[in-house]
Amino acid sequence: MIEIVKAKQKEPRALFWMGVYFIIFLILYTLLDRFNGGYLQMSSDYGWYLAVLNIGLNLLMSSLGAYMLGLSTTFMQLTGLSDKGSHATFLSVIFGMFTYGCTPCLVTFFATFGITLTVAVLPLMGLPYKLISLILLICGYFYLIHEIKRPKCSLPKGKDHG
């Protein structure tokens, strides 16, 4: 099953949508960095390496998220089943917004729910939280691959399914 799903990722339509997903995720991750101070502030406070590392992580996380959504979409089209692993992409973006995103917005958001104990100062402009988000994405990827390898329904034999 995994071979079928991976082969379908090379089709023009799948490549187009993965490109769209990649751009959306890259914009989201870049905005989160901007709300957290931006790349110029990262460079001036900690050195250029932190800005380059954050941009690299944004590219990696956007690529992985787009690929996971592509795999998940194809899997769902082939089987009619939704997988739980694809939710990791969404969760990592939400995690990013709640941790290394805009701290004043976060404090205000939690205060509306009566939660006043939040992190006010994030180390290295949120890099540890971005790494945790990357780990969540990687775990979601492996779970998604596990789900695709062991579908919970049998696929009909046909020319598209081998």
Side-chain angles (χ1 to χ4, degrees):
M1 177 61 157
I2 190 73
E3 294 83 18
I4 296 168
V5 173
K6 283 186 176 181
K8 292 236 177 229
Q9 300 310 301
K10 297 174 186 169
E11 294 178 358
R13 181 181 167 143
L15 290 172
F16 170 78
W17 282 109
M18 280 193 291
V20 169
Y21 300 147
F22 172 80
I23 290 168
I24 290 170
F25 285 130
L26 188 60
I27 289 170
L28 284 173
Y29 289 128
T30 303
L31 279 174
L32 290 173
D33 284 343
R34 186 174 176 341
F35 292 150
N36 201 29
Y39 301 118
L40 289 176
Q41 186 176 350
M42 283 181 203
S43 295
S44 66
D45 291 351
Y46 297 100
W48 61 269
Y49 77 92
L50 186 63
V52 170
L53 183 60
N54 271 287
I55 291 169
L57 284 171
N58 289 347
L59 291 169
L60 176 65
M61 290 169 55
S62 297
S63 299
L64 184 58
Y67 186 62
M68 286 174 63
L69 275 176
L71 289 174
S72 176
T73 303
T74 303
F75 178 68
M76 195 168 68
Q77 288 172 347
L78 291 173
T79 63
L81 297 173
S82 177
D83 60 275
K84 296 175 187 78
S86 64
H87 302 298
T89 302
F90 175 74
L91 290 176
S92 74
V93 172
I94 295 300
F95 180 78
M97 288 180 188
F98 285 152
T99 53
Y100 66 88
C102 175
T103 304
C105 299
L106 176 65
V107 170
T108 305
F109 176 77
F110 280 142
T112 61
F113 293 104
I115 302 170
T116 57
L117 300 173
T118 57
V119 178
V121 179
L122 302 172
L124 293 173
M125 299 192 77
L127 181 65
Y129 301 102
K130 188 176 278 194
L131 293 173
I132 291 170
S133 185
L134 177 63
I135 290 169
L136 287 173
L137 265 176
I138 291 170
C139 290
Y141 172 77
F142 285 117
Y143 184 76
L144 176 61
I145 294 298
H146 173 76
E147 290 274 311
I148 292 172
K149 283 182 178 178
R150 293 166 185 79
K152 294 176 178 47
C153 71
S154 60
L155 292 175
K157 293 288 183 191
K159 67 178 186 177
D160 287 338
H161 304 300

